[in-house]
Amino acid sequence: MSKKTILIVEDTEDDVFFLKRALKDSGIDHPLNVVVDGQQALDYFEGKGEYSDRSKHPIPFLVLLDLKLPYVMGLDVLKWIRERTEHNSTLIVVLTSSQQNRDMEETFRLGGNAYLIKPPSRAKLLEMIESLRDKWLEE
Amino acid sequence: MNPEPKINILMVDDEPANLVALEATLEVLGQNLVRASSGKDALRHLLDQDFAVILLDVQMPEMNGIETAVAIRERERSRHIPVIFLTARLNTDDMVFKGYSAGAVDFLTKPLQPDILRAKVEVFVELALVRQRLQNEIAERTRFAAEISKLNDELAEKNRTLIETVEELESYSYSISHDMRAPLRSMHGFSQILLDECQSSLSPEHQSYLRKINSGALRLDRLIQDVLSYSMVSRTKFKLQPINLDRLTRDVIEQYPGFQLPEVDIQIERVLPEVMANEATLTQCISNLLGNAIKFVEPEITPKIRIRAEAIGNECRIWFSDNGIGISAMDLDRIFGIFVKIHPAEKYGGTGIGLSIVRKAAEKMGGKVGVESTPGQGSRFWLQLKKA
């Protein structure tokens, strides 16, 4: 049986690149899909347009969600997903450079599973992804 | 200032000769003498002029003095003007009673004694002058008060604009700093990949260039993070609450990387008291002070830090004594300023913001910070807060 999908919601191309590498380097070989703004994330979940093929774009079991996004902000994406109980089992991990307490409090209030601050170095990012792997991806 | 305006005195008599005589008597007072030849004439003058006193002949045709006085009392504008009746004879008590009822302040009988008349009128002139001065003063003060209130309004408005501007600027600089970190992650990340994966194909010189890019990006990121922390401490509004300083300090020592034995020897002397603070802010203060004490030591020396509390009235001073390199007297004053570094960056690193964060945080918690130090003999930083 094929592995469950991870969805990356991130508008910064380089951050997507580092994230993909860190996932690969920590041995995570789940299929990855990437959307680059908040609206695309909602479209993905609704299966609209190019995301209508669920064999290519299945509902993810884990979302890595940036907060500062074009069109629809990350916290609104989080709220939207949590308002739909059919996605209850989807893990949502906020991955942001915002260190504001308010953002973190909102994340947990809205039902986010983790709040991670983007680390400045590659080594730290790898460490972070590995801890994520140990917590949720061991199968 | 303008010379005082003259006081008006109204003289009412149907005999022109009497008016001339009155005028001759009162001229010396130097005020404005107004003649009226009948009661009606007098009422006309009273319509648009104020008077200090009215000299009113009682025996006049048509409208006599008593009737005139009654009419004067009936008008709001003239109600309070004192009236002195002038009469040839005080024939009946009844007339005197009527006169006083109509508001007379005095009766003078003819022939008039010039000195007495003058003296009596002068009293009312003085009274009017004093009233006039008081009124001027009140008007002036009212004007000043209005002006001050207007200036106050302007100040409040300017203050509001200023606060808005500062808030805007802070949130602006917050997002700018925030956005600056993304490209830094790229610089650091990509240079790291090259260092990790292409080392063998690069000359040592080119490798050193890459390392410079790599560490430069990290340094700038650290700087931005400190600026963000500083602005966050400045902007955040919080309530003070009792904090278990002892537990918080022990947590910091246990949890922060590089704060434990054997690299570092930090000891708390006796149990620290509870203080009024904000937990996150106080944690930052303590970790910054300890971080500095650990950083600024001679090479090969194990940092040794002693923490103790001293009661000062209803406040508590927490001392952090170290065995570091110390601070010269010249630098003691400026060490809490933002971006102040008293050592070359290559030697000790740092952004020069740590202590300004501590000072700002202490101020926001109603406390203060300070330091005593002698070069070569360590420093004793202190943080003073209210006891819980």
Side-chain angles (χ1 to χ4, degrees):
Chain A
M1 188 184 149
S2 63
K3 287 197 166 178
K4 294 179 284 184
T5 300
I6 297 174
L7 178 67
I8 297 174
V9 189
E10 171 63 67
D11 64 320
T12 312
E13 205 185 322
D14 290 349
D15 281 349
V16 173
F17 176 85
F18 293 128
L19 208 48
K20 280 181 165 175
R21 269 186 87 109
L23 288 165
K24 188 169 145 243
D25 290 350
S26 59
I28 296 171
D29 55 356
H30 292 251
L32 292 178
N33 276 320
V34 179
V35 292
V36 298
D37 65 57
Q39 188 55 53
Q40 280 187 16
L42 302 189
D43 291 350
Y44 185 103
F45 269 86
E46 285 198 294
K48 271 192 193 163
E50 57 175 311
Y51 306 110
S52 57
D53 183 354
R54 280 288 176 226
S55 64
K56 277 191 203 150
H57 302 105
I59 294 297
F61 85 104
L62 170 66
V63 181
L64 295 173
L65 178 64
D66 188 19
L67 289 189
K68 233 178 141 190
L69 290 169
Y71 309 123
V72 180
M73 294 293 274
L75 286 175
D76 293 323
V77 173
L78 169 59
K79 183 162 175 271
W80 187 96
I81 298 172
R82 280 298 175 247
E83 276 167 356
R84 284 153 184 80
T85 46
E86 66 267 31
H87 305 313
N88 265 355
S89 62
T90 297
L91 296 166
I92 302 177
V93 172
V94 165
L95 187 55
T96 174
S97 49
S98 164
Q99 296 183 17
Q100 284 185 298
N101 275 338
R102 206 177 45 223
D103 286 337
M104 185 166 71
E105 283 160 14
E106 269 305 276
T107 295
F108 289 116
R109 195 183 68 79
L110 293 171
N113 298 86
Y115 186 91
L116 304 176
I117 293 168
K118 287 179 187 170
S121 75
R122 213 177 141 229
K124 285 260 158 51
L125 179 65
L126 188 59
E127 218 173 88
M128 188 179 272
I129 296 299
E130 279 169 350
S131 68
L132 210 65
R133 175 198 64 196
D134 297 344
K135 192 162 162 57
W136 281 309
L137 303 185
E138 291 286 85
E139 283 174 87
Chain B
M1 202 170 151
N2 297 327
E4 277 183 319
K6 288 187 174 177
I7 299 296
N8 295 326
I9 299 167
L10 183 60
M11 308 172 300
V12 194
D13 206 312
D14 57 320
E15 281 289 334
N18 286 348
L19 286 172
V20 170
L22 278 173
E23 221 169 66
T25 307
L26 299 174
E27 207 170 21
V28 65
L29 295 176
Q31 305 301 335
N32 190 27
L33 303 174
V34 178
R35 292 186 190 186
S37 55
S38 68
K40 282 194 175 157
D41 196 17
L43 291 174
R44 210 162 31 245
H45 283 295
L46 284 161
L47 279 179
D48 56 359
Q49 269 180 292
D50 287 319
F51 293 90
V53 61
I54 302 167
L55 302 171
L56 189 53
D57 184 27
V58 175
Q59 285 82 24
M60 291 190 295
E62 283 181 60
M63 191 181 202
N64 71 24
I66 305 288
E67 290 162 348
T68 308
V70 170
I72 289 171
R73 286 291 162 271
E74 278 169 359
R75 288 191 191 162
E76 178 63 37
R77 178 170 182 153
S78 55
R79 177 165 300 155
H80 300 290
I81 303 174
V83 174
I84 298 175
F85 283 115
L86 310 175
T87 174
R89 53 202 141 84
L90 274 176
N91 32 13
T92 62
D93 285 348
D94 180 49
M95 193 191 97
V96 174
F97 175 75
K98 276 186 184 162
Y100 280 118
S101 304
V105 294
D106 215 341
F107 275 89
L108 295 179
T109 43
K110 295 175 185 175
L112 297 166
Q113 297 274 3
D115 286 347
I116 291 175
L117 175 67
R118 203 181 298 122
K120 295 208 176 212
V121 170
E122 204 170 8
V123 169
F124 292 107
V125 168
E126 280 302 321
L127 211 60
L129 282 172
V130 167
R131 195 169 52 225
Q132 197 169 66
R133 274 180 222 131
L134 276 176
Q135 272 166 355
N136 286 343
E137 202 163 310
I138 289 168
E140 205 161 311
R141 284 187 186 199
T142 312
R143 206 171 54 242
F144 278 149
E147 222 155 276
I148 287 171
S149 142
K150 194 175 143 228
L151 285 175
N152 261 341
D153 288 349
E154 279 173 23
L155 202 63
E157 176 59 33
K158 275 188 187 147
N159 214 7
R160 241 188 327 271
T161 321
L162 205 62
I163 288 171
E164 269 168 31
T165 312
V166 167
E167 276 172 0
E168 216 165 273
L169 211 63
E170 276 175 344
S171 99
Y172 184 67
S173 74
Y174 190 90
S175 10
I176 295 239
S177 313
H178 191 266
D179 290 348
M180 280 194 300
R181 299 187 68 193
L184 282 175
R185 277 197 300 277
S186 302
M187 281 179 225
H188 181 269
F190 286 118
S191 59
Q192 190 65 48
I193 290 173
L194 290 178
L195 281 171
D196 290 349
E197 296 169 12
C198 310
Q199 194 118 320
S200 56
S201 56
L202 289 171
S203 73
E205 200 185 348
H206 290 153
Q207 285 179 33
S208 81
Y209 296 161
L210 262 184
R211 264 192 284 276
K212 277 179 198 290
I213 295 173
N214 193 261
S215 63
L218 266 195
R219 207 163 53 237
L220 187 50
D221 190 72
R222 177 79 232 161
L223 180 66
I224 291 171
Q225 235 177 314
D226 281 356
V227 171
L228 286 179
S229 297
Y230 183 81
S231 102
M232 204 142 39
V233 165
S234 314
R235 290 189 314 152
T236 312
K237 295 181 178 75
F238 50 74
K239 279 204 189 97
L240 297 182
Q241 51 190 43
I243 301 287
N244 184 335
L245 178 65
D246 198 75
R247 203 212 63 230
L248 185 143
T249 309
R250 286 177 204 277
D251 283 352
V252 169
I253 297 168
E254 267 171 39
Q255 287 162 16
Y256 274 62
F259 278 23
Q260 302 87 19
L261 287 164
E263 294 87 6
V264 179
D265 173 16
I266 306 178
Q267 306 262 340
I268 300 176
E269 297 175 5
R270 290 195 300 278
V271 177
L272 301 174
E274 286 212 331
V275 292
M276 293 306 288
N278 168 272
E279 184 162 350
T281 312
L282 184 59
T283 305
Q284 182 149 40
C285 285
I286 289 174
S287 65
N288 282 13
L289 287 173
L290 291 176
N292 273 357
I294 293 167
K295 188 159 58 177
F296 296 103
V297 287
E298 292 289 356
E300 310 300 319
I301 298 279
T302 301
K304 209 171 134 182
I305 302 155
R306 293 292 171 267
I307 305 170
R308 67 185 172 85
E310 175 194 2
I312 299 180
N314 60 351
E315 301 201 333
C316 169
R317 183 175 282 195
I318 309 117
W319 289 90
F320 302 81
S321 309
D322 65 46
N323 63 338
I325 53 178
I327 304 154
S328 72
M330 191 187 76
D331 293 324
L332 280 179
D333 291 338
R334 55 189 198 104
I335 198 164
F336 290 98
I338 194 163
F339 293 127
V340 171
K341 283 191 282 188
I342 58 176
H343 304 288
E346 312 84 68
K347 200 167 170 194
Y348 291 108
T351 55
I353 301 177
L355 283 178
S356 24
I357 294 174
V358 175
R359 185 178 63 180
K360 189 60 143 185
E363 283 168 3
K364 295 266 294 192
M365 295 189 290
K368 46 192 171 183
V369 285
V371 59
E372 293 173 356
S373 184
T374 311
Q377 293 177 31
S379 304
R380 289 164 304 283
F381 279 87
W382 55 263
L383 175 64
Q384 192 167 325
L385 296 167
K386 282 192 186 65
K387 279 189 208 159

